[in-house]
Amino acid sequence: GKGGPKSPEARKQRQRQGKKGKKGGMKHYILGKLLPQAYCQVANEKDATRMEECNKCFADGMKKMKKDKKSGGEEVMACSEKYLNPDYKECNDVAKAVTEWNKDAKKEVMKC
């Protein structure tokens, strides 16, 4: 019958659902959106305007990273420097010291 579990329409719908839930999707959401928002909130808790600017800065940087990891990463670092210091200065210093992003570098920064 039309619209059954094996129909082309049902297959397309499953494919669309699969794209939303692709491997790592939740991890990227947490690391790319929730964590920066939490950092912005902690570092700027007494200034709502600055907190919003911080969130926007990170959101823009993360979008840019999807197209160009290097320039997007630089933008995210600039956000971190501008909005998260002095609360996260030690972490910023660790991230700035990284010369090559690899598994070990990511682990060091994420530990922070």
Side-chain angles (χ1 to χ4, degrees):
K2 194 174 185 181
K6 293 186 179 187
S7 73
E9 293 85 13
R11 189 172 27 252
K12 283 180 187 175
Q13 186 173 359
R14 282 193 305 276
Q15 287 172 344
R16 279 195 300 271
Q17 288 171 346
K19 287 179 185 173
K20 286 181 195 170
K22 64 185 170 190
K23 188 177 179 183
M26 182 58 76
K27 181 179 176 183
H28 288 290
Y29 174 72
I30 291 168
L31 294 176
K33 187 165 178 111
L34 294 183
L35 279 178
Q37 285 180 353
Y39 297 148
C40 288
Q41 185 174 359
V42 169
N44 302 286
E45 64 184 340
K46 293 181 172 99
D47 187 340
T49 302
R50 188 169 163 84
M51 191 186 313
E52 286 177 29
E53 290 170 357
C54 179
N55 285 327
K56 183 173 181 350
C57 187
F58 274 99
D60 292 347
M62 295 307 284
K63 280 182 195 169
K64 194 174 197 175
M65 276 182 84
K66 288 179 183 177
K67 295 175 186 158
D68 180 355
K69 282 192 185 234
K70 185 173 177 7
S71 68
E74 289 168 358
E75 193 168 316
V76 168
M77 263 318 298
C79 296
S80 190
E81 288 275 315
K82 181 174 182 179
Y83 293 105
L84 302 185
N85 280 335
D87 297 53
Y88 294 98
K89 182 173 181 356
E90 186 180 327
C91 294
N92 287 338
D93 291 346
V94 168
K96 278 194 303 190
V98 172
T99 54
E100 183 184 338
W101 279 101
N102 54 35
K103 265 187 175 176
D104 293 335
K106 285 180 184 177
K107 282 182 187 175
E108 266 315 294
V109 173
M110 293 309 290
K111 268 197 272 182
C112 196

